[in-house]
Amino acid sequence: MTSTLPVQPDSTDSSEIESTETHGHAVEEHGDFRMFGLATFLVADAMTFAGFFAAYLTFKAVNPLPSGAIYELELPLPILNTVLLLVSSATFHKAGQAIRNSDHARCRRWLLITASLGIAFLISQMVEYFTLPFGLTDNLYASTFFAVTGFHGLHVTLGAVMTLIVWWQARESGGRVTAENHFPLEAAELYWHFVDGIWVVLFVILYLL
Amino acid sequence: MTVTLPPNSTAPAPKLQPTGWLRYFSFSVDHKVIGLQYLVCGFVFYLIGGALAGAIRTELASPVADFMARDVYNQVLTLHGTVMIFLWIVPVVNGAFGNYLIPFYVGARDMAFPRLNAVAFWLIPPAGLMLVASYFITGAAQSGWTAYPPLSITTPATGQIIWIVSVLLLGGSSIFGGINFIATILKLRRPGLKLMQMPMYCWAMLGTSILVVASTPVLAGTLVLLSFDIVAHTGFFNPTLGGNVVVYQHLFWFYSHPAVYIMVLPAFGLVSEILPIHARKPLFGYVTMVYSIMAIVVLGLIVWAHHMFTSGTPPWMRLFFTIATAFIAVPTGIKFFNWLATLWGGKISLNSAVLFSCGFIVNFVLGGITGVALAQVPFDIHVHDTYFVVAHFHYIVFGGSVFVIFASIYHWYPKFTGRMLNEDLGRFHCALTFIGFNFCFGPQHWLGLNGMPRRVAEYDPQFTLINQISSVGALLMAISTLPFLWNVIHSAFYGKVAGDNPWNALTPEWLTSSPPPVENWVGEAPLVKEPYAYGVPIDEIDLSATSGRDLWSSGK
Amino acid sequence: MQIPSAILTLVLGMALVLGGLWVGQTINLLPIDASVNAPIYDELFKVLFTIGIILFVGITGLLIFSLIRFRRRSGQIGDGVAIEGNLPLEIFWTAVPAIVVLFVGLYSYDIYDRMGGMVPLAHDHMGGMHEERIWGGISSGSVGSEMVADVLPIEVTAMQFAFLFHYPDGDITAGELHVPADRPITLRMESKDVIHAFWVPEFRLKQDIIPGQPTQLSFTATRPGRYPIVCAELCGPYHGGMRSTVVVDEADEWQTWFSSNAKPTPITDTTVANT
């Protein structure tokens, strides 16, 4: 996918911005680097999580809680969550494959499945939140747990919303996501894989360690 | 009129974007407009931050806290630091000069993501306005720009939350800019331009942007946690709720130490552009300059705890950070020797840009020396959180970055506006600034060594005379802004017309009109493979016109 | 026949180094020293100051020389010499600063060690206090290890905006810190509210006082007198006014102060015997 820029055929006084109509005159084109930009942004996002994880691990090492306050986290729900997210990454990938074959209907099916899996994750997370024996402000461990999982949950929510937007954009007639140009899908997919990856790290650090 | 038209139409198409000076108040996606928006907006905040500094120095002209209420003084000093860092230096050395110059240097028509660029800029005025307004409306934060808990949790919450939101917005702006620079430099170079042929400022911005993307998000996360402590009564950094204040310091400084390189590396890059042109010699040691930048980037990420030597850190940690910090002096020193070698043997025009750059060299070397001293744990234990540190970092950020900003304005104003600045006024500005600055901050080293802590409105009366000298220096600095402002405004209308290339330079921005057209060049972007190819080759130098002394000291 | 530039450079360099050494030894920028580690600190300061002066004057001198010698005279056109680099020279001026920096680092490590900085914290005998985590600070180190048993423990509490000193033996609480000269002191410090810091410029020692995370500072005062204790961490509006005084007395005068202020206690064997 390329972007074209307007040209000025002759300009001596060049201090004005011209109209944004292009009329198809291209001087030169450069590549589409939006995925690169998104990837750089995800590096920054990963560093935010890194800060949270560093805080969590430091608190854990250095601020011991009274023994009654250390909780054994139940694993079944988080394991379910991990499975949900991993499967949803696979289904998103399938959606990408489908659109490259111009199969809009199939793509949209996979996108809906992905979004549903994401929403299922969120519901499962909510269930876990309500069945936990501690609340946000109970102690340092609790606060950090909710901060990290909450921040991740926000990312999942955003991802699910974006997936549904792409589902809308992938419609057969009038949608902007096509086999030739499906940047919104690619971008949402990368973001989704990122969120999935962060969850795996989170699962290990918060639930397994 | 500059509109692309279908061949047969006669009427001009309606303009969809503002033109003329209105562009600068619009959501323009042109990197040159955005660059100047950053510059002017940043300068306005510089004046605000300077007014705050004036208030501080007025208070400190007497040893008692008699000029303003003590909590107001703490708000003033908090705002002074926050405004200068996040609303002046970071936006200007990165956003102003970076956005304006980088597309030229890589041979592109604009940045990789022009709309993101505009978004990044337009985050700044509201965030800055909100921050400054908080002083008048709710009371500003008063825990310093470092916002250490528990103080930041126990002072009035509204001001602190506004401060947090403002810094989060400004950090976000910075991150968006960083993404744009990385993509532009790595991906948008014109065909034929290799990485090692780029002007040095590109390398400086690449390194800086890596730091921005890696470290600013950690600050964002930390401030989010801090805001939870303030509004939701969590206890991340609240000891009474089981939290750990030292963890805040680690997380805060993980960003805030790279932040100083974010403020200074672009300045290094700008000096590397300015000196060769006016000395008419190539930049000395291009490759080592590149490696030095990368070394500073890597080292800059692992030295943060030298801000915490007297805090709750164990001895082994203090030792590690001493060694790592001291080593940053090596790549930094290399750059200074290379600049000296660039000047040596040149034909130097002593114009304002060069004089400010040389002022930068003198000031920054002093600041760097006190920095190496501060890196040593036993030395720092005595002077941490005293006026010695205040002196040190002002030599770096003002004597360093701000001097370079002024040098850059004198150097590129002709390109931005098409007119030359008045050189006599410029040299006068430089002299006033240099003298005022050194009178203000030089004596502060002694104050710190002898017992004056920082962030105080009152002090031991034995320090009165030195503080008064410092305040007079600050007054001189304030006055020095006047010839500059007059020069900038007057020259915009009456300055000598600059032409395309008043400095006879080789880099791409000078190979087009002043100011440049929308697409930067008419026709193809020039391919400049040797941006520093100044000077007469040594075997071609006319020996009859020079003496042996003119050449390198090996006597050739 | 002109003097070879190499000789001129050598002479200038020697003058620079000698001048720097003279300045470093002669110009005193620090307050009086009043603790055992203060002269050690001052040694380090002199070395750093000397190196700093030499570097600063040298570089500034080179710069000013270049600006004068290689300036463009009016009417001159033409360029300088197209020298793009000089690898041996660059290696030289990378190696020399690296060595200087390494030397400074190792030297200051030695100084820090002599000041007691490398000793594990909570090393000192705190006279009956339970083992607790100390979060940062300076132990008494290798300064007269035989005197460690004679350590006088004092608890410091910092609050907005005052310091309180509590002597566990004798149960004295005072607003000023009274210590005997030539005897190791260990301060166990904690804050009641926000972060403060304990700084005595004449001792060259500073340590943050952190709520919920006790820190420690050990020193031995040498010079009787009154010295300021300055809070060195922003703690609120009255941070500038948060000061106290450390009164260093001769041993016997201090004993008089101690005895006249100590509360009568029942005879217990946790009282530390004074020599």
Side-chain angles (χ1 to χ4, degrees):
Chain A
M1 203 44 215
T2 56
S3 47
T4 60
L5 292 158
V7 70
Q8 302 163 200
D10 49 48
S11 51
T12 41
D13 163 26
S14 42
S15 54
E16 296 174 350
I17 296 259
E18 58 180 280
S19 145
T20 53
E21 300 179 63
T22 67
H23 298 280
H25 289 242
V27 170
E28 67 261 333
E29 305 169 344
H30 66 74
D32 181 1
F33 300 117
R34 289 176 293 177
M35 286 301 277
F36 180 84
L38 177 64
T40 316
F41 172 76
L42 291 176
V43 168
D45 207 2
M47 287 306 294
T48 323
F49 279 103
F52 286 142
F53 287 137
Y56 176 85
L57 288 169
T58 313
F59 287 142
K60 193 166 168 157
V62 146
N63 275 59
L65 293 165
S67 52
I70 299 175
Y71 307 99
E72 279 293 324
L73 288 168
E74 312 260 318
L75 282 182
L77 271 178
I79 291 180
L80 170 68
N81 284 348
T82 312
V83 169
L84 284 172
L85 279 187
L86 287 173
V87 170
S88 67
S89 268
T91 56
F92 214 132
H93 181 67
K94 280 255 177 264
Q97 284 180 324
I99 197 66
R100 283 184 200 96
N101 292 331
S102 279
D103 193 341
H104 285 253
R106 194 151 192 197
C107 169
R108 300 184 88 212
R109 264 203 303 276
W110 284 120
L111 284 176
L112 268 183
I113 296 176
T114 307
S116 315
L117 290 171
I119 293 170
F121 171 94
L122 288 169
I123 295 174
S124 162
Q125 184 92 91
M126 290 276 97
V127 170
E128 193 199 3
Y129 273 12
F130 283 118
T131 57
L132 282 172
F134 52 83
L136 172 67
T137 58
D138 280 4
N139 56 57
L140 184 60
Y141 172 81
S143 303
T144 325
F145 175 86
F146 281 111
V148 177
T149 54
F151 194 62
H152 178 263
L154 254 160
H155 279 71
V156 175
T157 311
L158 235 103
V161 167
M162 288 200 298
T163 309
L164 288 171
I165 293 177
V166 174
W167 172 84
W168 173 249
Q169 292 178 326
R171 62 191 186 282
E172 190 73 52
S173 63
R176 56 183 288 202
V177 169
T178 63
E180 301 81 36
N181 173 21
H182 47 274
F183 171 72
L185 191 145
E186 282 180 304
E189 187 182 346
L190 179 61
Y191 179 81
W192 192 259
H193 293 318
F194 167 78
V195 170
D196 195 2
I198 294 286
W199 170 260
V200 171
V201 177
L202 186 156
F203 180 68
V204 169
I205 293 184
L206 254 60
Y207 290 97
L208 293 185
L209 278 185
Chain B
M1 272 300 279
T2 53
V3 172
T4 43
L5 300 167
N8 288 325
S9 107
T10 45
K15 291 198 203 300
L16 294 176
Q17 299 236 329
T19 54
W21 63 271
L22 278 173
R23 271 179 299 164
Y24 296 97
F25 291 88
S26 72
F27 193 79
S28 170
V29 296
D30 182 336
H31 72 100
K32 299 180 288 300
V33 172
I34 295 175
L36 293 179
Q37 286 173 320
Y38 267 105
L39 182 59
V40 174
C41 178
F43 197 81
V44 169
F45 283 111
Y46 170 62
L47 294 176
I48 295 176
L52 292 164
I56 294 174
R57 284 312 324 166
T58 309
E59 172 69 87
L60 290 175
S62 75
V64 287
D66 52 2
F67 184 57
M68 55 184 115
R70 287 181 174 87
D71 69 303
V72 172
Y73 181 81
N74 284 0
Q75 293 177 43
V76 168
L77 67 87
T78 302
L79 284 180
H80 168 76
T82 313
V83 165
M84 289 304 203
I85 292 173
F86 292 105
L87 291 160
W88 159 235
I89 299 194
V90 172
V92 169
V93 293
N94 287 271
F97 293 104
N99 278 310
Y100 200 101
L101 295 171
I102 295 290
F104 282 106
Y105 285 162
V106 300
R109 304 285 179 188
D110 209 300
M111 297 285 289
F113 308 117
R115 268 187 305 239
L116 184 67
N117 206 4
V119 167
F121 169 70
W122 280 106
L123 284 172
I124 294 186
L129 195 64
M130 178 173 61
L131 184 68
V132 174
S134 70
Y135 175 83
F136 298 101
I137 299 176
T138 61
Q142 41 179 292
S143 50
W145 85 277
T146 48
Y148 276 10
L151 184 64
S152 48
I153 302 178
T154 56
T155 44
T158 329
Q160 194 69 59
I161 292 291
I162 292 177
W163 181 90
I164 290 176
V165 173
S166 178
V167 173
L168 286 174
L169 287 172
L170 296 167
S173 163
S174 190
I175 292 174
F176 289 151
I179 294 173
N180 225 342
F181 289 120
I182 293 175
T184 309
I185 293 171
L186 290 182
K187 297 289 187 185
L188 247 62
R189 270 168 294 124
R190 66 146 283 157
L193 185 66
K194 299 205 190 66
L195 277 174
M196 291 302 253
Q197 294 170 333
M198 295 191 302
M200 190 55 58
Y201 184 58
C202 300
W203 283 108
M205 284 309 299
L206 182 61
T208 309
S209 302
I210 293 173
L211 285 175
V212 167
V213 166
S215 64
T216 318
V218 176
L219 178 72
T222 314
L223 292 183
V224 167
L225 293 180
L226 183 66
S227 63
F228 267 90
D229 271 8
I230 297 175
V231 297
H233 302 292
T234 48
F236 298 111
F237 312 121
N238 191 342
T240 55
L241 297 176
N244 187 330
V245 301
V246 176
V247 171
Y248 173 89
Q249 294 178 21
H250 278 290
L251 290 171
F252 176 85
W253 287 111
F254 182 81
Y255 163 74
S256 301
H257 187 78
V260 318
Y261 297 111
I262 291 168
M263 290 191 274
V264 130
L265 273 177
F268 287 172
L270 291 168
V271 171
S272 291
E273 299 306 327
I274 295 173
L275 288 181
I277 295 176
H278 298 286
R280 310 308 302 172
K281 273 189 73 209
L283 180 67
F284 192 91
Y286 180 96
V287 176
T288 28
M289 290 289 240
V290 173
Y291 288 140
S292 301
I293 290 176
M294 291 304 141
I296 293 173
V297 168
V298 169
L299 286 170
L301 283 166
I302 56 167
V303 295
W304 73 88
H306 66 233
H307 299 268
M308 298 162 56
F309 280 152
T310 63
S311 186
T313 46
W316 61 265
M317 193 183 282
R318 299 179 184 191
L319 186 64
F320 167 76
F321 283 104
T322 294
I323 310 254
T325 309
F327 271 114
I328 298 196
V330 178
T332 316
I334 291 174
K335 298 185 82 64
F336 280 84
F337 296 135
N338 281 17
W339 287 318
L340 281 177
T342 305
L343 287 171
W344 185 276
K347 271 226 181 321
I348 311 171
S349 308
L350 295 176
N351 54 42
S352 312
V354 169
L355 290 174
F356 266 107
S357 302
C358 292
F360 152 79
I361 290 178
V362 172
N363 293 327
F364 194 95
V365 166
L366 202 154
I369 290 172
T370 55
V372 172
L374 283 163
Q376 316 303 317
V377 174
F379 180 84
D380 182 66
I381 284 178
H382 175 57
V383 293
H384 167 79
D385 231 282
T386 67
Y387 260 85
F388 189 90
V389 176
V390 175
H392 159 73
F393 67 70
H394 280 96
Y395 267 86
I396 300 286
V397 289
F398 191 96
S401 298
V402 177
F403 266 68
V404 173
I405 292 174
F406 283 130
S408 305
I409 293 177
Y410 284 99
H411 181 75
W412 275 289
Y413 183 93
K415 179 53 54 179
F416 296 157
T417 62
R419 295 192 183 262
M420 305 297 286
L421 281 169
N422 180 296
E423 271 302 319
D424 292 325
L425 271 179
R427 282 186 278 250
F428 180 54
H429 171 218
C430 185
L432 271 184
T433 311
F434 187 80
I435 295 171
F437 167 75
N438 278 285
F439 265 101
C440 182
F441 293 105
Q444 293 183 1
H445 293 100
W446 184 89
L447 287 175
L449 288 169
N450 282 273
M452 183 169 174
R454 57 185 286 206
R455 297 170 163 167
V456 293
E458 57 200 305
Y459 51 82
D460 188 330
Q462 61 159 318
F463 299 132
T464 310
L465 177 64
I466 302 287
N467 267 294
Q468 286 174 336
I469 294 174
S470 179
S471 294
V472 169
L475 182 61
L476 257 181
M477 287 167 73
I479 293 173
S480 77
T481 330
L482 297 171
F484 173 74
L485 281 170
W486 170 257
N487 200 353
V488 166
I489 297 171
H490 185 264
S491 302
F493 299 100
Y494 303 110
K496 191 174 84 165
V497 172
D500 286 6
N501 196 350
W503 308 126
N504 279 317
L506 290 169
T507 42
E509 80 272 31
W510 300 106
L511 306 179
T512 183
S513 62
S514 305
V518 167
E519 298 253 326
N520 295 350
W521 304 274
V522 176
E524 226 189 333
L527 175 63
V528 178
K529 291 196 177 186
E530 285 182 58
Y532 304 112
Y534 306 103
V536 181
I538 198 161
D539 46 328
E540 287 173 34
I541 221 168
D542 181 2
L543 283 173
S544 61
T546 61
S547 76
R549 289 286 208 82
D550 274 4
L551 299 177
W552 202 250
S553 64
S554 53
K556 281 201 271 293
Chain C
M1 172 80 182
Q2 287 181 327
I3 304 174
S5 56
I7 294 192
L8 270 179
T9 315
L10 181 63
V11 169
L12 274 172
M14 285 168 57
L16 183 62
V17 172
L18 289 172
L21 279 167
W22 180 85
V23 166
Q25 294 300 314
T26 324
I27 297 193
N28 180 32
L29 293 175
L30 289 160
I32 202 165
D33 60 287
S35 76
V36 166
N37 70 286
I40 302 174
Y41 179 93
D42 293 358
E43 269 179 56
L44 175 65
F45 182 83
K46 284 196 178 84
V47 168
L48 292 172
F49 190 38
T50 304
I51 296 177
I53 289 272
I54 294 171
L55 275 173
F56 180 70
V57 173
I59 293 179
T60 307
L62 273 173
L63 181 67
I64 295 177
F65 177 79
S66 302
L67 288 180
I68 299 173
R69 184 73 189 77
F70 300 112
R71 75 185 184 283
R72 177 186 298 275
R73 279 79 169 171
S74 52
Q76 261 186 344
I77 52 171
D79 287 358
V81 187
I83 295 178
E84 292 185 338
N86 182 335
L87 190 59
L89 181 60
E90 293 197 74
I91 294 178
F92 176 75
W93 72 39
T94 308
V96 168
I99 294 171
V100 170
V101 154
L102 194 61
F103 159 74
V104 166
L106 289 172
Y107 180 64
S108 68
Y109 168 75
D110 179 55
I111 297 281
Y112 188 48
D113 189 35
R114 283 157 63 189
M115 279 169 58
M118 293 306 294
V119 175
L121 299 167
H123 163 91
D124 299 298
H125 181 64
M126 291 297 281
M129 289 178 194
H130 62 277
E131 267 306 308
E132 63 169 347
R133 190 198 174 110
I134 298 286
W135 290 79
I138 300 196
S139 277
S140 53
S142 44
V143 180
S145 51
E146 67 279 352
M147 286 158 71
V148 168
D150 194 25
V151 149
L152 174 63
I154 305 174
E155 290 163 357
V156 180
T157 307
M159 63 192 79
Q160 285 167 321
F161 298 93
F163 293 100
L164 278 183
F165 305 100
H166 178 252
Y167 297 73
D169 313 317
D171 196 22
I172 306 175
T173 304
E176 282 184 344
L177 180 63
H178 282 253
V179 294
D182 303 312
R183 181 163 163 208
I185 316 288
T186 292
L187 304 176
R188 178 203 172 281
M189 312 194 285
E190 200 171 342
S191 161
K192 288 210 128 12
D193 38 41
V194 298
I195 306 180
H196 299 270
F198 178 95
W199 178 36
V200 180
E202 282 77 3
F203 291 175
R204 318 282 193 267
L205 287 172
K206 178 186 293 110
Q207 174 57 44
D208 283 5
I209 308 180
I210 304 173
Q213 298 165 252
T215 52
Q216 172 184 317
L217 194 62
S218 303
F219 62 89
T220 304
T222 49
R223 196 186 296 267
R226 299 176 66 91
Y227 310 106
I229 300 173
V230 181
C231 176
E233 183 63 55
L234 179 64
C235 53
Y238 285 84
H239 169 56
M242 184 166 163
R243 319 183 121 234
S244 180
T245 311
V246 52
V247 182
V248 180
D249 288 321
E250 298 287 359
D252 37 343
E253 280 170 36
W254 181 82
Q255 195 55 51
T256 317
W257 171 87
F258 183 79
S259 312
S260 58
N261 281 291
K263 298 188 178 58
T265 50
I267 311 289
T268 67
D269 30 22
T270 57
T271 313
V272 174
N274 296 327
T275 29

